[in-house]
Amino acid sequence: MTSGAWFRRGWITPRNVVVAAILTFVVLLPVYTSGTGNYFLLSLFTRIVILAMAASTLNLILGYGGMVSFGHAAYVGIGGYVVGILAHEGITTGFLQWPLALIASGVFGLVVGALSLRTRGVYFIMITLAFAQMIYYVALALDRYGGDDGMTIYTRSQFAGLIDLSQKTVFYYLCVVLLLGTIYLVHRLANSRFGLVIQGSRSNDRRMRAIGFPTFRYRLTCFVIAGMLCGLSGALLATHTDFISPAMMHWTRSGDLIVMVVLGGMASVFGPLIGAVALLVLEEVLSGITEYWQIILGPLLLLVVLFARGGVDGILLHWHDHYRSASHGIGNLLARMRRG
Amino acid sequence: MVQELQIGGTDALLQIEGLTKRFGGVVASENVTLDVRAGELHAIIGPNGAGKTTLIGQLTGELRPDAGRIRFDGEDITAMPTFQRSLLGLARSFQITSLFLDVTALDNVALAVQANAGHSFHFWRDARSEAELREPARAALARVGLGQRADVMAANLSHGEHRLLEFAMALANKPRMLLLDEPMAGLGPEESARMVEMLRELKGELPVLLIEHDMEAVFALADRITVLVYGRVIASDVPAKIRANEEVRQAYLGEQEAVHG
């Protein structure tokens, strides 16, 4: 089999190459950083991996479900605060902290979803934002847990000696495993019967009800699942920084998560990972060049939104199509030249 | 249920009694009473603004009537949500094509099959590889003549094919009765003929409530015709009697002749 045939078989596509490159880089990064002692890079990528996980959960509701939640950072904050508060109160076992982070996020998702999913469009966006702002101000008012200033977590979650989260590389790999687990889970969910109902509801909710689906309960379930998984990413983020503060759930972070999903490609399994890497690496690189880096980043985002509706992932997919039609065209041309 | 049917004294599958719906000062349905019997094709005709779409909306549960009752198979469904009516077997097709355009024709029909295959809280298995969803969907597509177009994106199908796909979805919905809202709308003569042929094949197999503008099709197919004018039933009878009815001629057919003549 020639490499051309492989290409046409659909395995070696620009998109798969990019995804494989990112995954390889992410997995092998600690080998490089422990060799060179460049822990800044490891820390940056720990953050990227965690936020990519949060973005993947947003993709489940925004990309697949068409539910434009503008308050997704609230779950990051809730997950983080559950871990932080429990640690502050002397409960350091992760076996309690992390499940509670999931449950608290799930309960919040249930309340927000039950109210917001009855609305559509701008109203939905505004209600999710309002709830997130509410939680933000609650955190701001928690004087016992640092209030406005936030609070340091002095002991990372304990897992009975099974895994030592204070080792940076170990923690990094845990984040990578959880990210990949989340991506796989989203992939399975999106293509299951449940996922087809969610996607059908995005496409034409009225028709879904007319053919016999009580769509509200499916959408609510989806909303809660996404919230819970995002809460887990919040627990990871708090552990990574050893710190919680209301800034974790500022509305601009909700915006960042939306940008990651849209930039990477909505309703694409690896889109949020691509988007998170692209956004945060660009942010890092551009802010090294100029302090007005947002002036460069803004127009870049605009270009993607205007000209690549499928995000970076969409560009990579179309690239493949272009290559195919181009090679087709050249083939025809050669055949004609031979005949002529 | 059985008892109520006996009290009702008819073998009607769908019974509409005194249905009234107002929008502000406009009466869209005024004391509408009609029924659809087992095995019957019952057509509803009426000039524009007669309240046909409002009636369909109340039958499917998208609109709540101000007064009156709707029974399906003896069960009062007046206050039942849309999805439950569909699960009872009251399947509808839409006047303005309402499909899932971003997936294939087969995916569209498979969703209709899935709706009647128990709850969809299945989170893991790839639903597009489940034969129990795909096979009945393929069969429904083949029945309307779209078998070869199963894997085409719905957005890339022609208007005529969209109408056929609508029809396939209603068939795949395990219907006990079909509500067809202008299935011929926007079809060319050839496509219309094909649709009439398909409805004729379906006759006797399933009761149908057909709302349609195409008079030729209605008089060719219907066992009974109900004429709606300004939300009111002015006549309800077999086609021959409707054709001869003076009030209908004046209110509706006359107008048509005036328009076309």
Side-chain angles (χ1 to χ4, degrees):
Chain A
M1 195 181 289
T2 64
S3 64
W6 264 102
F7 202 108
R8 249 167 274 134
R9 275 278 173 105
W11 280 104
I12 304 179
T13 62
R15 178 228 217 155
N16 289 358
V17 167
V18 168
V19 169
I22 290 177
L23 289 180
T24 310
F25 181 82
V26 162
V27 169
L28 293 182
L29 181 69
V31 178
Y32 168 77
T33 54
S34 61
T36 59
N38 185 348
Y39 282 106
F40 168 75
L41 201 59
L42 187 66
S43 171
L44 171 66
F45 265 84
T46 307
R47 198 165 75 93
I48 290 177
V49 165
I50 292 170
L51 290 176
M53 181 178 161
S56 292
T57 68
L58 178 61
N59 188 34
L60 182 60
I61 51 174
L62 193 158
Y64 291 99
M67 300 171 246
V68 186
S69 166
F70 198 1
H72 213 60
Y75 305 100
V76 176
I78 290 170
Y81 266 76
V82 168
V83 169
I85 289 171
L86 288 177
H88 187 75
E89 301 299 343
I91 301 165
T92 55
T93 170
F95 291 120
L96 206 59
Q97 287 179 343
W98 290 25
L100 276 175
L102 281 168
I103 291 168
S105 307
V107 170
F108 184 70
L110 191 65
V111 173
V112 177
L115 291 163
S116 62
L117 287 172
R118 294 178 196 282
T119 65
R120 294 255 149 185
V122 176
Y123 299 100
F124 180 80
I125 296 173
M126 285 298 127
I127 292 177
T128 52
L129 173 64
F131 271 104
Q133 285 299 90
M134 211 173 75
I135 281 288
Y136 173 79
Y137 284 107
V138 167
L140 216 59
L142 289 175
D143 285 335
R144 183 177 164 84
Y145 306 110
D148 197 5
D149 298 328
M151 177 180 78
T152 301
I153 300 172
Y154 291 102
T155 318
R156 285 192 173 185
S157 308
Q158 307 289 312
F159 283 95
L162 287 175
I163 182 168
D164 182 4
L165 299 191
S166 54
Q167 287 185 31
K168 288 188 171 71
T169 308
V170 171
F171 179 67
Y172 175 76
Y173 274 121
L174 176 69
C175 293
V176 170
V177 167
L178 288 174
L179 167 68
L180 295 180
T182 302
I183 289 176
Y184 184 62
L185 186 67
V186 169
H187 167 69
R188 293 306 300 223
L189 279 177
N191 293 296
S192 68
R193 287 191 183 195
F194 176 77
L196 294 195
V197 174
I198 295 302
Q199 296 193 60
S201 178
R202 174 198 66 206
S203 171
N204 190 342
D205 190 63
R206 181 176 174 220
R207 185 59 192 244
M208 285 300 278
R209 276 180 280 124
I211 59 178
F213 287 108
T215 53
F216 178 77
R217 62 185 76 157
Y218 292 105
R219 285 156 58 83
L220 183 58
T221 306
C222 186
F223 198 80
V224 171
I225 292 173
M228 289 177 82
L229 289 173
C230 190
L232 185 58
S233 74
L236 293 177
L237 192 64
T239 306
H240 171 56
T241 55
D242 295 312
F243 188 73
I244 52 169
S245 84
M248 284 179 89
M249 52 184 125
H250 195 254
W251 65 272
T252 52
R253 161 148 300 140
S254 294
D256 283 345
L257 291 175
I258 293 180
V259 168
M260 286 173 199
V261 172
V262 174
L263 181 66
M266 284 186 281
S268 139
V269 180
F270 285 104
L273 172 60
I274 298 172
V277 170
L279 181 71
L280 296 174
V281 168
L282 264 179
E283 204 176 281
E284 205 55 49
V285 170
L286 292 178
S287 65
I289 297 169
T290 163
E291 66 179 293
Y292 306 110
W293 53 275
Q294 281 161 325
I295 292 179
I296 305 171
L297 191 62
L300 266 178
L301 287 178
L302 211 60
L303 283 176
V304 171
V305 172
L306 284 177
F307 297 109
R309 300 204 67 183
V312 175
D313 191 54
I315 296 176
L316 293 172
L317 278 174
H318 284 288
W319 194 339
H320 180 41
D321 292 343
H322 286 317
Y323 171 86
R324 279 212 300 208
S325 57
S327 66
H328 229 84
I330 292 168
N332 288 343
L333 199 70
L334 288 175
R336 232 177 294 151
M337 279 164 66
R338 246 178 273 136
R339 260 184 272 129
Chain B
M1 254 163 40
V2 175
Q3 258 184 344
E4 280 183 309
L5 257 181
Q6 281 163 351
I7 293 166
T10 69
D11 57 350
L13 189 59
L14 181 74
Q15 290 171 284
I16 302 167
E17 291 169 20
L19 215 57
T20 299
K21 177 77 190 171
R22 291 182 201 88
F23 295 108
V26 181
V27 185
S29 300
E30 188 180 350
N31 202 20
V32 173
T33 297
L34 60 91
D35 59 27
V36 181
R37 297 175 196 146
E40 166 184 63
L41 195 150
H42 191 142
I44 296 180
I45 60 173
N48 284 329
K52 302 186 295 282
T53 300
T54 306
L55 182 63
I56 279 264
Q58 292 171 91
L59 295 181
T60 57
E62 288 180 347
L63 292 173
R64 184 68 72 85
D66 297 322
R69 272 204 304 186
I70 306 165
R71 288 158 173 272
F72 185 66
D73 198 7
E75 191 175 344
D76 191 329
I77 62 166
T78 317
M80 194 180 267
T82 306
F83 77 90
Q84 275 178 11
R85 298 181 198 215
S86 175
L87 294 179
L88 274 184
L90 199 58
R92 95 173 271 188
S93 78
F94 283 79
Q95 177 189 354
I96 295 160
T97 306
S98 175
L99 297 164
F100 307 102
L101 293 174
D102 49 357
V103 292
T104 65
L106 184 61
D107 286 334
N108 271 269
V109 187
L111 263 178
V113 176
Q114 188 185 323
N116 289 279
H119 67 77
S120 286
F121 287 103
H122 297 284
F123 300 102
W124 204 250
R125 247 177 88 191
D126 182 359
R128 288 194 186 88
S129 68
E130 288 189 59
E132 61 169 299
L133 300 178
R134 307 306 264 189
E135 290 314 316
R138 279 190 194 282
L141 278 177
R143 179 155 185 188
V144 302
L146 284 180
Q148 304 298 316
R149 306 284 277 162
D151 298 318
V152 179
M153 288 296 229
N156 297 334
L157 295 172
S158 72
H159 176 74
E161 288 173 325
H162 279 164
R163 306 302 309 176
L164 292 172
L165 183 54
E166 277 278 338
F167 200 61
M169 287 176 76
L171 288 178
N173 224 195
K174 282 195 184 164
R176 291 166 64 205
M177 183 180 156
L178 290 178
L179 293 176
L180 302 179
D181 193 358
E182 301 203 18
M184 260 71 102
L187 290 188
E190 238 169 80
E191 292 169 324
S192 276
R194 192 159 149 209
M195 184 66 88
V196 168
E197 208 38 58
M198 227 149 36
L199 288 175
R200 208 192 301 276
E201 276 173 34
L202 202 69
K203 259 186 75 166
E205 195 179 318
L206 274 176
V208 177
L209 186 67
L210 173 71
I211 292 189
E212 185 51 61
H213 261 303
D214 184 336
M215 286 305 125
E216 215 177 304
V218 166
F219 279 94
L221 286 168
D223 298 304
R224 276 198 298 162
I225 297 175
T226 293
V227 185
L228 273 183
V229 175
Y230 296 121
R232 272 190 316 121
V233 175
I234 63 163
S236 185
D237 218 323
V238 295
K241 292 249 178 85
I242 291 292
R243 213 190 285 271
N245 186 310
E246 200 47 45
E247 200 179 349
V248 174
R249 292 186 83 88
Q250 277 179 3
Y252 185 65
L253 297 175
E255 180 195 278
Q256 286 262 309
E257 275 159 24
V259 169
H260 294 298

